[in-house]
Amino acid sequence: MQVTPSIFKAYDIRGVVPSTLNEAVAEGLGKAFGTVALAEGQTTVAVGRDGRLSGPALSAALIRGLVAAGVQVIDIGMATTPMLYFAANTACQSGIQVTGSHNPKDYNGFKMVLAGRAIYGDEIQALRQMMETETWQLQAGGGVSQLDVLSDYTQRIVGDIRLARPMKIVVDSGNGIAGASAPGIFRALGCEVIELFSEVDGEFPNHHPDPSKPENLQDLMQALKTTGAELGLAFDGDGDRLGIVTKDGNNIYPDRQMQLFAEDVLQRVPGGTILFDVKCSQRLAPAIEAAGGKALMYKTGHSLIKAKMKEVEAAGGQAPLGGEMSGHIFFKERWYGFDDGTYAGCRLLEIVSKQPDANAVLNALPSSFSTPELNVACAEGEPHTVTKALQAKAGSTFSAPAKVSDIDGLRVDWPDGFGLIRASNTTPVLVLRFEGQTEAALHRIESAMLALLRSVKPDAQIGAAAH
């Protein structure tokens, strides 16, 4: 069958409906994934979908393909991506979520778990090749059953989390799928919940469900001013990422949230390894080490962080927590190790509820001066070429005390800040981030990194990240 190669991304499949992603692609994926799953002894696959308008048709086609391959499908219906991950940890070991995540409304896609691992990279390309050549294997034995996981999922969270006192919060689901479950879970924990845009609507009529963008938090900030609520929580379109806003309108970015989570988790898992991606603040590693943990910086990408956490544990270590600047937080301690915005929000409330003033706890977390995520648009394939050239020049450009890391693009750390230039794995752009402990340090680091970038790519135009 003919497929558009560019929809097969690093960590998932994503395209525009119906031009690059349609029911034929979904059914072909079902046949290919089902073939691969059965080859690994996986006879059952869970399927869920977010609230996008194209979800029902694509999900039905995906299920047809899986059944044709001989797989028993557990259809969990409309659910967050973490609820699909929950099903793939409790009812079976494999699953596919039909989701466009935080992309514009005409997008959709698939996030996949096979035998307990999030698949990415070469495994996704292998599915593409099987679809193109139609070398899947179809057999009898397939079927579909329905399962509503919300009550089990809610009970699992409510049985785990204890708030020290009731809290009044605002929850903005941005008309994404988290609106159907998150407010109820927070209420079950004893919170008073003021809801914004909980109605699941794939048109996203109010604002886009992407809490990493400050403009999408304006309604939440306004509600905090008028309702007397203590904190604001915002979810992305498929519920695997969380945004947190204080009463005074401060956005507590995920790398600051991670300082709080690490300190808490390390009380129970002393000496554990805490993973974070190259976009995170320079303040995070010292905070982890001060709390008695091992800080491990790794590549950006939710599938990559999850795989690295498993690797640490397989080698005899403990990896109780991981997190990314984008808002994916992975709790292995007391949870399953997958990214879940609702669960992360509950853990945050559990920690701050122990203090009389949650805002004081959050605002006291160390912070720096930083740029938002910046992007440089490139030709297809160009970002990786540019980062290789930057890595080659970095050694001769920067001298001590600068420390150069090339685990994911180029990150250069100075005693008073860092600069990052890396290739996005999802779109043809360079991703830039700069941080300084003072404004002067921030400007110095940004200038030094941009001078290096322009020596390799003179036409680089710096813009705000579009994702």
Side-chain angles (χ1 to χ4, degrees):
M1 62 182 298
Q2 279 210 308
V3 293
T4 307
S6 64
I7 68 171
F8 296 85
K9 310 287 186 191
Y11 327 119
D12 53 33
I13 296 171
R14 235 181 284 176
V16 176
V17 182
S19 55
T20 61
L21 201 153
N22 55 29
E23 289 173 58
V25 171
E27 189 168 342
L29 175 65
K31 291 173 180 174
F33 188 91
T35 300
V36 173
L38 287 168
E40 288 204 22
Q42 296 288 308
T43 55
T44 308
V45 176
V47 172
R49 58 183 164 84
D50 71 12
R52 284 167 187 266
L53 304 177
S54 57
L58 291 175
S59 174
L62 175 70
I63 290 169
R64 281 197 302 275
L66 287 163
V67 170
V71 166
Q72 286 294 324
V73 174
I74 298 174
D75 179 8
I76 69 165
M78 263 215 309
T80 63
T81 295
M83 284 164 68
L84 183 275
Y85 293 156
F86 178 79
N89 272 273
T90 54
C92 57
Q93 292 181 289
S94 299
I96 302 178
Q97 175 77 352
V98 181
T99 175
S101 189
H102 56 266
N103 279 79
K105 64 184 181 184
D106 52 345
Y107 278 72
N108 216 325
F110 308 94
K111 291 183 179 177
M112 297 164 283
V113 177
L114 179 61
R117 66 183 189 276
I119 66 167
Y120 61 92
D122 292 343
E123 289 193 280
I124 291 179
Q125 294 306 319
L127 289 171
R128 170 173 77 101
Q129 284 154 3
M130 188 180 286
M131 290 165 69
E132 286 173 339
T133 54
E134 299 189 15
T135 47
W136 47 60
Q137 291 171 334
L138 307 184
Q139 52 184 292
V144 189
S145 60
Q146 266 74 37
L147 179 68
D148 180 0
V149 300
L150 181 58
S151 62
D152 285 351
Y153 173 75
T154 303
Q155 282 174 338
R156 175 66 178 79
I157 294 177
V158 172
D160 177 71
I161 302 287
R162 288 283 172 272
L163 298 194
R165 59 183 175 83
M167 295 183 70
K168 184 175 180 180
I169 60 172
V170 183
V171 173
D172 183 345
S173 302
N175 301 107
I177 188 63
S181 56
I185 289 170
F186 290 118
R187 285 198 182 98
L189 290 177
C191 291
E192 182 183 341
V193 181
I194 294 151
E195 297 183 47
L196 294 180
F197 317 131
S198 293
E199 186 189 345
V200 179
D201 183 346
E203 293 285 356
F204 306 128
N206 295 291
H207 63 73
H208 203 62
D210 182 2
S212 68
K213 292 272 173 263
E215 63 268 24
N216 297 324
L217 299 172
Q218 296 307 311
D219 295 307
L220 187 57
M221 289 178 182
Q222 197 54 42
L224 282 165
K225 282 179 190 158
T226 56
T227 59
E230 201 169 351
L231 283 179
L233 284 75
F235 295 101
D236 75 334
D238 65 334
D240 58 8
R241 292 188 299 129
L242 167 72
I244 297 169
V245 177
T246 61
K247 195 174 177 58
D248 48 1
N250 285 330
N251 184 355
I252 305 296
Y253 284 100
D255 53 358
R256 289 178 78 196
Q257 297 171 29
M258 280 291 290
Q259 296 174 36
L260 197 66
F261 291 141
E263 195 180 319
D264 176 61
V265 165
L266 288 165
Q267 290 171 16
R268 294 178 297 278
V269 190
T273 299
I274 310 293
L275 269 85
F276 56 93
D277 75 324
V278 293
K279 292 187 195 173
C280 285
S281 169
Q282 199 180 53
R283 304 271 192 181
L284 180 54
I288 291 166
E289 286 157 4
K294 298 184 189 81
L296 180 57
M297 185 168 74
Y298 197 57
K299 300 172 184 178
T300 293
H302 68 91
S303 301
L304 306 181
I305 299 269
K306 279 180 274 202
K308 190 68 175 174
M309 287 173 72
K310 283 186 192 293
E311 195 183 297
V312 169
E313 302 229 316
Q318 287 185 296
L321 175 68
E324 288 192 286
M325 190 62 194
S326 60
H328 293 273
I329 309 282
F330 317 89
F331 284 96
K332 186 73 173 66
E333 189 248 356
R334 294 166 45 187
W335 195 242
Y336 303 90
F338 60 74
D339 35 335
D340 185 335
T342 300
Y343 183 72
C346 293
R347 288 284 287 253
L348 180 102
L349 295 179
E350 181 180 73
I351 296 166
V352 298
S353 71
K354 293 172 185 166
Q355 304 297 328
D357 186 348
N359 289 271
V361 175
L362 295 172
N363 286 327
L365 293 167
S367 67
S368 295
F369 295 91
S370 63
T371 59
E373 187 173 304
L374 303 169
N375 283 176
V376 173
C378 294
E380 197 71 53
E382 188 187 12
H384 290 283
T385 315
V386 171
T387 51
K388 281 196 180 70
L390 293 171
Q391 288 168 345
K393 290 184 87 163
S396 58
T397 306
F398 303 116
S399 54
K403 290 184 185 151
V404 173
S405 164
D406 60 3
I407 55 167
D408 184 359
L410 176 68
R411 175 166 162 151
V412 185
D413 278 80
W414 285 268
D416 57 354
F418 81 91
L420 171 73
I421 304 175
R422 62 178 285 276
S424 165
N425 285 315
T426 50
T427 44
V429 298
L430 290 166
V431 175
L432 282 57
R433 185 150 192 263
F434 308 110
E435 174 184 275
Q437 291 179 18
T438 62
E439 280 196 76
L442 171 63
H443 293 312
R444 188 193 81 240
I445 290 166
E446 186 168 1
S447 299
M449 294 294 285
L450 291 179
L452 176 65
L453 174 60
R454 293 209 163 98
S455 75
V456 171
K457 182 174 167 58
D459 61 343
Q461 296 286 321
I462 317 293
H467 89 235

